[in-house]
Amino acid sequence: SAEASPQALAVGCWPPDGPEIDRRLAANARALGLILPPDMAALVRASADDDPARIARELEKLALHAGARPDAPAAPGPD
């Protein structure tokens, strides 16, 4: 079997937990220049079912809508 081979490498992969998702979300928002209040960050997480790829896409959309850039941070508006 593959596990018995000396050339095999096993890597454990687990989905991120809540605090790790929050850290990644905040880091991604900062990298996009997005100023994201905690309540909005929670909504992004909930709407994306804590899926890191979906969270990243939602942050990109929010940053685009807000006109946020790393050199010109902005917060999403109420609309």
Side-chain angles (χ1 to χ4, degrees):
S1 77
E3 292 87 10
S5 171
Q7 296 175 337
L9 174 65
V11 177
C13 298
W14 294 270
D17 61 3
E20 179 62 21
I21 292 171
D22 290 336
R23 283 190 291 277
R24 290 181 186 186
L25 191 151
N28 288 346
R30 276 192 306 275
L32 293 167
L34 190 58
I35 300 167
L36 203 59
D39 60 336
M40 191 170 285
L43 287 173
V44 169
R45 273 190 66 182
S47 70
D49 294 325
D50 285 347
D51 179 318
R54 289 178 56 196
I55 289 171
R57 300 297 80 78
E58 292 303 317
L59 291 175
E60 289 169 357
K61 289 188 270 185
L62 284 171
L64 181 63
H65 179 72
R69 300 187 322 265
D71 62 334
D79 55 351

